[in-house]
Amino acid sequence: MLRTEALAGLVVALALIPEAISFSIIAGVDPRVGLSASFTMAVAISFLGGRPAMISAATGAVALVIAPVMHDYGYDFLIATVLLGGFIQVILAVAGVAKLMRFIPRSVMVGFVNALAILIFEAQIDHMIDVPWAVYPMVATGIAVMVGFPRVNKIIPAPLVAIVALTAFTVVRAINVPNVGDEGALPVSLPTWFLPDVPFDLATLKIIAPYALAMALVGILESLLTAKLVDDITDTGSSKTHEAWGQGAANMITGFFGGMGGCAMIGQTMINVKVSGARTRLSTFLAGVFLLILVVGFGDVVALIPMAALVAVMVMVSVGTFDWHSIRLVTLRKMPKSESTVMITTVVVTVLTHNLAIGVVTGVLVAMTLFARRVAHLTETHRAIVENTDGTSQAVYTVTGELFFASSNELYTQFSYADDPDHVVIDLTQSHIWDASTVASLDAITTKYERKGKTVEIIGLNAPSAERHGRLTGGLTSH
């Protein structure tokens, strides 16, 4: 077990180096800032997080959110933003925001995973354009090693074998291909305590608050979605609230050491959990420790690792992450069109915006709209004319189904206002009033009948519906 966790941590650390450097460039900071952030995030979350074996470090999503602060106001304001973003994450966790995860449908999760796989693959394309021809066979060789080596030996992670073999080959044969050293300078010392030199006033808060809030929301969303994915892969549960405040605390620690902040990294998490078989916090901790040792103690060696080896690793992660079952024709034929629409929408929006948070939120909104539309059509109204013992008659309308804004808007048109007798009964025994829109529709129906000199009696309300109707009726429109 210890060997599996240690080797997994080493592979993740190697994969983190070019990623952290790339995200630093996106944020507009020195590569050392991203590498330091990855170390502090990984080590901190290994103690504070709620999902064992999940990897947190500097990420592209967070880098994109905070980049404008660096560009417009400088490094100190960026660190202040990270600190505030971490604090907001802790507050949101305490407020129970993690419980909202249950409102994310499976189709959105599938779209999230597929979009992520596409983005991981897309990110590797830049490393395969305008490069020496030797890069292409090296990438192919790395993929072949990772496909074939597990059939011979399942103890040593295949990605580690591919990285070591390709690095040794390029050094021995003196092959000139892009390597990690070309991506940016590596740190030469441990991260040190850092306090941002910014005015502690309302003006500063107005500058950093919008970016800090966006960072907090993006970080929590990606982290909780990744945690849920790891839960499914490992068949184990985790505390999402614990993970949410752990992310916030880790970001605050990272900020105080001058790091750019981050969140869960699904690509590296898949390497750790799915490819390397890690299951405990130890792998996350060792990933951070190995990262620091590699870039500080063995920076000259790490700089020699060919990017082709890391590209091969990430391509295999992309292939392994994608849910191929979800796009099979058999699956698509069986799946309701609304579910497929939500999944495809999530993928398309995420890939176009390069923002997983925007894609997931869009997918959830589409899912909610389609669900409301589907449920609205399940509401039915049946009309019957009942003769009373005194020779008069009354119209009885029996409403079945859930009444809310989408279904109650059509309720108004289901009544025969001109043809009905003087007394009308609306039976809601098989229904439920969920919102003010329904109460407003019932008021409109009652008012229209009253204008024709007819009376309306609403019966069959359950306790919550009666309370809501009694509280809101007559007060939703101006007279």
Side-chain angles (χ1 to χ4, degrees), residues 216-257:
L217 294 174
V218 167
I220 283 184
L221 181 59
E222 288 207 30
S223 298
L224 296 186
L225 286 172
T226 304
K228 187 175 180 181
L229 187 62
V230 176
D231 289 350
D232 294 339
I233 293 172
T234 60
D235 290 326
T236 58
S238 63
S239 171
K240 304 302 182 292
T241 298
H242 185 174
E243 181 61 39
W245 71 253
Q247 288 289 330
N251 269 311
M252 294 178 71
I253 293 171
T254 297
F256 281 124
F257 280 95

Side-chain angles (χ1 to χ4, degrees), residues 74-347:
Y75 178 65
D76 287 278
F77 276 85
L78 178 136
I79 299 303
T81 302
V82 172
L83 291 170
L84 180 59
F87 179 72
I88 292 173
Q89 286 180 324
V90 173
I91 297 300
L92 290 174
V94 173
V97 71
K99 295 177 181 177
L100 297 176
M101 279 295 295
R102 66 179 183 269
F103 293 110
I104 298 181
R106 180 186 177 277
S107 51
V108 173
M109 278 296 298
V110 173
F112 166 79
V113 170
N114 289 347
L116 183 68
I118 293 171
L119 290 179
I120 291 173
F121 182 82
E122 185 182 313
Q124 311 315 309
I125 295 175
D126 290 340
H127 298 294
M128 293 187 284
I129 296 177
D130 294 329
V131 293
W133 68 269
V135 168
Y136 303 108
M138 288 179 66
V139 171
T141 301
I143 293 173
V145 168
M146 283 180 282
V147 171
F149 186 77
R151 299 176 183 176
V152 179
N153 186 310
K154 293 186 178 181
I155 297 176
I156 304 174
L160 180 59
V161 175
I163 291 171
V164 172
L166 290 174
T167 302
F169 177 74
T170 56
V171 171
V172 171
R173 299 297 297 270
I175 298 176
N176 185 24
V177 292
N179 56 34
V180 171
D182 297 329
E183 296 294 307
L186 300 177
V188 294
S189 63
L190 296 173
T192 56
W193 187 260
F194 180 86
L195 288 175
D197 183 17
V198 298
F200 193 73
D201 56 20
L202 189 59
T204 298
L205 184 63
K206 287 181 179 178
I207 291 172
I208 66 175
Y211 299 102
L213 179 60
M215 170 191 163
L217 294 174
V218 167
I220 283 184
L221 181 59
E222 288 207 30
S223 298
L224 296 186
L225 286 172
T226 304
K228 187 175 180 181
L229 187 62
V230 176
D231 289 350
D232 294 339
I233 293 172
T234 60
D235 290 326
T236 58
S238 63
S239 171
K240 304 302 182 292
T241 298
H242 185 174
E243 181 61 39
W245 71 253
Q247 288 289 330
N251 269 311
M252 294 178 71
I253 293 171
T254 297
F256 281 124
F257 280 95
M260 58 181 274
C263 62
M265 300 187 75
I266 191 166
Q268 275 63 30
T269 298
M270 290 300 100
I271 293 176
N272 196 45
V273 175
K274 203 168 185 178
V275 178
S276 302
R279 291 294 182 270
T280 71
R281 298 176 185 275
L282 181 61
S283 60
T284 306
F285 174 75
L286 290 177
V289 172
F290 282 143
L291 175 64
L292 185 67
I293 293 173
L294 287 170
V295 298
V296 175
F298 299 93
D300 293 339
V301 176
V302 171
L304 298 175
I305 297 175
M307 288 303 299
L310 298 175
V311 167
V313 171
M314 296 311 292
V315 167
M316 288 302 295
V317 170
S318 172
V319 172
T321 301
F322 198 92
D323 186 350
W324 297 100
H325 177 75
S326 66
I327 61 171
R328 291 177 180 172
L329 288 177
V330 175
T331 304
L332 293 174
R333 287 195 190 103
K334 291 181 179 178
M335 196 67 66
K337 290 183 179 179
S338 59
E339 299 283 321
S340 299
T341 300
V342 170
M343 186 267 285
I344 294 170
T345 300
T346 305
V347 171

Side-chain angles (χ1 to χ4, degrees), residues 3 11 21 23 27 36 39 150 179-180 251 266 317 333 398 401 423:
R3 177 172 53 189
V11 174
I21 293 173
F23 299 149
S36 297
F39 159 69
N179 56 34
V180 171
N251 269 311
I266 191 166
V317 170
R333 287 195 190 103
T398 302
H423 186 67

Side-chain angles (χ1 to χ4, degrees), residues 236-463:
T236 58
S238 63
S239 171
K240 304 302 182 292
T241 298
H242 185 174
E243 181 61 39
W245 71 253
Q247 288 289 330
N251 269 311
M252 294 178 71
I253 293 171
T254 297
F256 281 124
F257 280 95
M260 58 181 274
C263 62
M265 300 187 75
I266 191 166
Q268 275 63 30
T269 298
M270 290 300 100
I271 293 176
N272 196 45
V273 175
K274 203 168 185 178
V275 178
S276 302
R279 291 294 182 270
T280 71
R281 298 176 185 275
L282 181 61
S283 60
T284 306
F285 174 75
L286 290 177
V289 172
F290 282 143
L291 175 64
L292 185 67
I293 293 173
L294 287 170
V295 298
V296 175
F298 299 93
D300 293 339
V301 176
V302 171
L304 298 175
I305 297 175
M307 288 303 299
L310 298 175
V311 167
V313 171
M314 296 311 292
V315 167
M316 288 302 295
V317 170
S318 172
V319 172
T321 301
F322 198 92
D323 186 350
W324 297 100
H325 177 75
S326 66
I327 61 171
R328 291 177 180 172
L329 288 177
V330 175
T331 304
L332 293 174
R333 287 195 190 103
K334 291 181 179 178
M335 196 67 66
K337 290 183 179 179
S338 59
E339 299 283 321
S340 299
T341 300
V342 170
M343 186 267 285
I344 294 170
T345 300
T346 305
V347 171
V348 171
V349 173
T350 302
V351 171
L352 290 179
T353 62
H354 282 67
N355 190 313
L356 291 166
I358 293 176
V360 169
V361 170
T362 303
V364 170
L365 290 175
V366 171
M368 290 170 59
T369 302
L370 293 176
F371 174 76
R373 182 173 177 270
R374 188 164 62 248
V375 172
H377 289 300
L378 297 178
T379 303
E380 296 181 351
T381 303
H382 299 282
R383 175 178 181 264
I385 301 298
V386 178
E387 298 295 334
N388 299 322
T389 55
D390 59 0
T392 62
S393 62
Q394 62 182 12
V396 178
Y397 287 87
T398 302
V399 181
T400 59
E402 305 304 308
L403 293 175
F404 62 108
F405 62 91
S407 58
S408 61
N409 286 335
E410 295 183 1
L411 186 64
Y412 182 81
T413 64
Q414 304 301 309
F415 293 81
S416 302
Y417 299 98
D419 300 331
D420 281 340
D422 291 341
H423 186 67
V424 177
V425 176
I426 302 177
D427 186 357
L428 299 180
T429 303
Q430 302 178 56
S431 189
H432 187 99
I433 296 176
W434 286 105
D435 58 10
S437 295
T438 302
V439 177
S441 293
L442 291 172
D443 284 354
I445 293 167
T446 302
T447 300
K448 188 164 183 176
Y449 273 117
E450 288 176 347
R451 287 174 182 167
K452 295 181 178 298
K454 302 175 183 181
T455 60
V456 176
E457 179 185 3
I458 299 176
I459 64 172
L461 290 173
N462 56 33

